[in-house]
Amino acid sequence: SAFCPGVKLEDFLKSETKLPDPRPLINVCDKNDMVEELTQYLYGKGMMKYIEVYVQKVNPFRTPQVVGALIDGNRPEDPIRSLVMSGR
């Protein structure tokens, strides 16, 4: 997107900022194919519920990318299993 270059978005995702409502960020990251970065950001901020909303309602086709990002981030198996089961 011309208004939110990927570099600025990636810098934001690496920042310490915690959004009270990350839904706009979720939409921007989805449109800019930054699913892995978004997943790490949300998990790191304790926002697993928003990861679930993303794979259940926003873009279920990205579930493999989200699960892969969680595995690559060495996240515990239980939340990953729960996420996969919630999408069935």
Side-chain angles (χ1 to χ4, degrees):
S1 165
F3 297 104
C4 191
V7 173
K8 286 186 179 182
L9 183 57
E10 191 168 346
D11 288 344
F12 178 81
L13 289 169
K14 291 178 181 175
S15 75
E16 295 300 314
T17 305
K18 181 175 179 182
L19 297 172
D21 182 0
R23 288 179 295 182
L25 180 65
I26 290 170
N27 291 329
V28 171
C29 287
D30 184 58
K31 286 183 183 7
N32 286 286
D33 195 29
M34 296 187 74
V35 177
E36 291 87 357
E37 295 88 344
L38 172 67
T39 303
Q40 295 301 338
Y41 172 83
L42 292 174
Y43 190 88
K45 301 298 182 199
M47 299 177 145
M48 189 69 186
K49 146 182 120 161
Y50 286 100
I51 295 173
E52 291 172 9
V53 168
Y54 178 68
V55 299
Q56 290 172 2
K57 297 183 180 180
V58 177
N59 195 341
F61 297 107
R62 300 274 187 149
T63 302
Q65 281 182 280
V66 171
V67 170
L70 291 170
I71 291 170
D72 289 346
N74 293 318
R75 304 305 182 190
E77 190 176 317
D78 287 342
I80 297 171
R81 183 178 293 123
S82 175
L83 183 67
V84 170
M85 297 306 286
S86 73
R88 288 184 166 191

